[in-house]
Amino acid sequence: MAFAITQSCCSDAGCVSVCPVNCIHPAPGEPGFGSADILHIDPDTCIDCGACSDACPVDAIFPVDRLGPRDAHFAEVNAAYYRDRDTSNAFTPTEYITLHRLPDDLQVAVVGTGPSAGYAIRTLLMRTDAQITVIDKLPTPGGLVRSGVAPDHPATKNITHGFDLHLRDPRVTLLGNLEVGEDFSPAELAQHFHGVIYAIGASEPKRLGIPGENLPGSTSATDVVAWYNGLPDVTNPMAPARVGRTVLVGTGNVALDIVRLLHTDIEDLGRTDIADRSLPFLRDNRVGEVVLLGRRGPDSAAYTPAEYAALANTPGIEIIALDGSDPSSIDLSAPVDPSRKRIVFLYNTSPLEVVGDDHVTGVRVRTGETEHLIPADNVIASIGYRTRPVAGLPFDPDAGRIPNVDGRIVDGAASVPGAYVVGWARRGPSGGIGANRACAEETVQAFIDDAASGALDVSARPEGGFATFLRRKNLTPVRHRGIRAIDRIERERGESSGRPRVKLTERAEMLAGAKARRSLPIFPRRRDR
C-alpha cells in the first residue's frame, strides 16, 4: 500500500532525500519546487518502505489505508499529480558545496526565530564553527510557526522540534525580548558580530486603500491571526456579531484559515492551543456566513489546492461560488441563519467602501458595472504582507522587503558588509515553510564565501562582547532558561485541560514566568556573550 502526503506538508524535501526510489516530486531543482503547496508521492512507484514518513518533521505522510476521513482525499491528490506530468525516477548527481578554510572565532548573529532563521542556524552549525547569537523581539521563539500557523494545524508546528534542538546547541546563545531598531541599532549590532543574518519575516499587512477602512470592525488578517494565536498584548480587532456575516477580502490560505476557524465548533477550538482570550468572543459571536471576495476569477484564487480541499471536505460546511461577472446571480441581502455554516466565494468582485458610522455595518462592492451592499459585522483584509522596516536598515518600499542580491543586503548599488537577509524579508511573502530551507542555505553560503574571501572585517570584536554591551544599555534579555520556563508553564497549563499548551498572552506575564525556573531540564552549558 502506497503512502500519501497530506495537508500539513512543509515542503522542505527531507522526505525526498531518503526515498530509495525517488518517487516524491516536485523535488529540489524541479519546476514547482518551492511554490507547490505540498509534495506528492507517486503511488505506482512507491515501495511502501516508510522512510519518508519517518523523516517527515511535521507528521504529514501516512499509508493510504490509514488516512482519516478528512485526509482520505489526499490519496487522489497525490495520484492525480502524476497523471498529466512526466517525472523521472532517476537520481540527480549530488552537488557538493565548496569547503573553505574560515577565520577562527567567527561571531554570527541571527535576528528572528522562525523557519528561515531555523534553517539558517542549522546551516551555520553544519558548515562553520561559528558562535551564534540568536535574537528575537519576543520572549518566546518560533516566529510565525507559533503565532501564524492555525491552531487546528498542530502537526505543522512540529517543524519547531528540530529547530529547538539547534537552539540548544552549545554554540548557540538565545536572547529573547530584544528588538533590533528599538533597543539598539543595526550598526550597534554589527559592531559585535562578523555577520548578521536578518530573518524578520513579513508581518505588516497590506491595506485596501478604500474609504471606511479604519472603522471598528474593519481589520486585517494579520491582526486577527495575531489575536487568536496569542501574540503578546494584542487586543481583539473584531466587532460583535449583529448580522452574523463576516466579509474577507482575499482568497489566500490565511483567509481560508480564518474562515475555517470561524466555522469550527467552540468545543473543538477549546482543545487546540488557540489563545484563551479569543474563546469567549468566538463562543458568543458565532458567524453563520463568511463571504470571500476575489478580485479575479476562481482560476486566479490564491489558495492552494490542498488548503481548499481540506476546507471542502470539512463536514457540515456549505460552500457556494458566485461570479460577479453575472450580477443577477448575487443576492446576499437575506438574513443570515446563525445555525448554518456557509462560505460564499464571490469572484470578479472588488471592494469599494467599508460602510458604517461608528462601526462596520457592511461593505459596498462592485461586480462588473453593478454595485452591491453586503451587510456584515466585520471586514477582514487578507491581501498580502510586507516586511516591517527596521530603522537603520535599507528598505525597498515598493517591493515591501529588504533589498538584497543573493541574500547580501544592499544599499543602492553597494553591499552592506556583513549584513544578510533570509526568508520572506529577502524574497517577499511567497513560499511555505520548506521554501525557506534553500533560501537560508544560499544566504549562509554567501556569508561563508565572504568570510573566506576576505570581504568581511574578521578582526576581534569589542572587548567584553555583546553581553557587556547589553549590560551597559541596561537591557536584560530572556535567555534560554527563561524561555524554557515559559514553555514549561504553558505546557503544564495545557496538560491540566487536555490541550497542547495554554499560551501566555501578555509580555509582563511572560517575563514573570521566565523567572520561574524551578524543575527545569539541564542542557549543555554555553558561553553567554
Side-chain angles (χ1 to χ4, degrees):
M1 182 65 66
F3 280 68
I5 299 176
T6 61
Q7 181 184 5
S8 55
C9 174
C10 67
S11 301
D12 85 341
C15 55
V16 175
S17 62
V18 300
C19 178
V21 293
N22 197 28
C23 73
I24 304 176
H25 300 275
E30 294 179 348
F33 182 77
S35 60
D37 51 340
I38 64 172
L39 305 185
H40 308 81
I41 295 174
D42 184 349
D44 294 332
T45 308
C46 176
I47 60 173
D48 195 24
C49 68
C52 56
S53 181
D54 292 339
C56 180
V58 294
D59 298 329
I61 306 177
F62 300 93
V64 168
D65 60 352
R66 288 181 52 196
L67 293 173
R70 290 188 62 174
D71 289 333
H73 64 284
F74 280 103
E76 169 60 19
V77 169
N78 279 246
Y81 179 83
Y82 293 91
R83 293 198 184 111
D84 300 322
R85 290 178 175 85
D86 292 325
T87 57
S88 172
N89 295 107
F91 289 91
T92 56
T94 301
E95 295 185 9
Y96 296 96
I97 61 171
T98 302
L99 297 178
H100 296 290
R101 180 175 179 83
L102 299 177
D104 295 332
D105 299 321
L106 281 178
Q107 304 281 337
V108 183
V110 177
V111 181
T113 57
S116 62
Y119 287 119
I121 295 164
R122 183 176 75 174
T123 308
L124 285 166
L125 289 171
M126 292 173 60
R127 300 186 186 179
T128 77
D129 292 324
Q131 298 291 324
I132 305 164
T133 297
V134 181
I135 299 167
D136 199 287
K137 66 181 181 180
L138 296 177
T140 51
L144 282 180
V145 176
R146 176 182 169 97
S147 61
V149 173
D152 61 346
H153 284 177
T156 305
K157 302 182 183 185
N158 290 341
I159 192 72
T160 60
H161 295 168
F163 297 152
D164 286 346
L165 290 176
H166 304 324
L167 293 175
R168 296 203 293 267
D169 189 280
R171 288 195 280 134
V172 176
T173 296
L174 178 57
L175 305 175
N177 203 42
L178 294 176
E179 185 168 2
V180 182
E182 295 291 335
D183 294 319
F184 44 81
S185 68
E188 289 175 313
L189 183 64
Q191 291 174 2
H192 294 86
F193 297 94
H194 301 107
V196 180
I197 300 174
Y198 289 91
I200 58 176
S203 60
E204 190 169 89
K206 292 182 179 179
R207 294 179 59 82
L208 293 171
I210 60 176
E213 188 173 14
N214 295 321
L215 280 171
S218 176
T219 185
S220 68
T222 302
D223 290 342
V224 173
V225 172
W227 168 63
Y228 68 63
N229 262 340
L231 199 69
D233 303 321
V234 173
T235 58
N236 180 6
M238 298 183 67
R242 299 177 178 87
V243 177
R245 177 187 289 121
T246 291
V247 173
L248 268 154
V249 183
T251 58
N253 285 349
V254 175
L256 265 58
D257 282 345
I258 296 174
V259 171
R260 198 175 58 251
L261 179 133
L262 293 176
H263 278 333
T264 299
D265 292 338
I266 200 69
E267 294 79 11
D268 293 332
L269 285 178
R271 289 189 285 269
T272 71
D273 68 352
I274 191 171
D276 274 6
R277 65 190 179 195
S278 65
L279 289 173
F281 179 86
L282 294 173
R283 180 192 62 231
D284 298 336
N285 295 273
R286 299 308 292 163
V287 176
E289 182 175 279
V290 182
V291 179
L292 292 97
L293 303 183
R295 297 174 188 265
R296 294 178 292 277
D299 291 342
S300 300
Y303 56 72
T304 58
E307 286 289 337
Y308 180 81
L311 183 66
N313 283 274
T314 302
I317 291 182
E318 175 191 5
I319 299 179
I320 64 173
L322 301 176
D323 190 344
S325 60
D326 179 15
S328 63
S329 68
I330 299 171
D331 182 9
L332 297 174
S333 60
V336 174
D337 181 353
S339 66
R340 300 173 65 184
K341 297 179 180 179
R342 192 166 90 140
I343 300 170
V344 179
F345 286 87
L346 183 52
Y347 296 109
N348 293 306
T349 301
S350 299
L352 299 177
E353 178 186 10
V354 178
V355 178
D357 294 324
D358 56 353
H359 61 83
V360 170
T361 58
V363 58
R364 189 163 55 87
V365 303
R366 174 181 289 125
T367 58
E369 300 300 322
T370 306
E371 294 186 6
H372 303 264
L373 177 64
I374 303 175
D377 305 309
N378 291 278
V379 176
I380 303 172
S382 184
I383 57 173
Y385 305 90
R386 298 162 49 88
T387 294
R388 193 179 302 276
V390 175
L393 276 184
F395 186 72
D396 182 344
D398 295 327
R401 57 183 176 85
I402 297 174
N404 69 93
V405 176
D406 297 330
R408 296 175 175 92
I409 296 178
V410 297
D411 190 358
S415 294
V416 180
Y420 305 85
V421 61
V422 295
W424 281 9
R426 168 184 164 172
R427 63 184 190 274
S430 63
I433 290 173
N436 293 298
R437 179 177 176 176
C439 174
E441 290 174 352
E442 185 178 51
T443 294
V444 170
Q445 192 59 43
F447 161 75
I448 292 172
D449 293 343
D450 290 349
S453 67
L456 302 181
D457 176 7
V458 294
S459 59
R461 303 294 96 179
E463 185 175 353
F466 192 55
T468 299
F469 167 77
L470 294 177
R471 286 194 294 271
R472 287 174 179 167
K473 291 184 73 75
N474 294 317
L475 295 171
T476 305
V478 177
R479 298 178 180 272
H480 200 279
R481 285 180 62 85
I483 289 169
R484 301 307 295 179
I486 296 171
D487 180 69
R488 186 201 68 241
I489 291 169
E490 291 184 342
R491 290 184 182 277
E492 286 179 352
R493 290 184 176 184
E495 185 177 359
S496 65
S497 56
R499 300 168 63 185
R501 66 174 65 238
V502 173
K503 293 178 180 177
L504 305 181
T505 56
E506 295 182 6
R507 190 180 295 264
E509 187 180 28
M510 288 179 168
L511 297 180
K515 298 177 182 178
R517 299 180 176 179
R518 58 182 173 82
S519 304
L520 283 176
I522 303 299
F523 297 117
R525 186 182 300 273
R526 59 179 53 75
R527 290 189 298 170
D528 289 331
R529 295 175 291 284

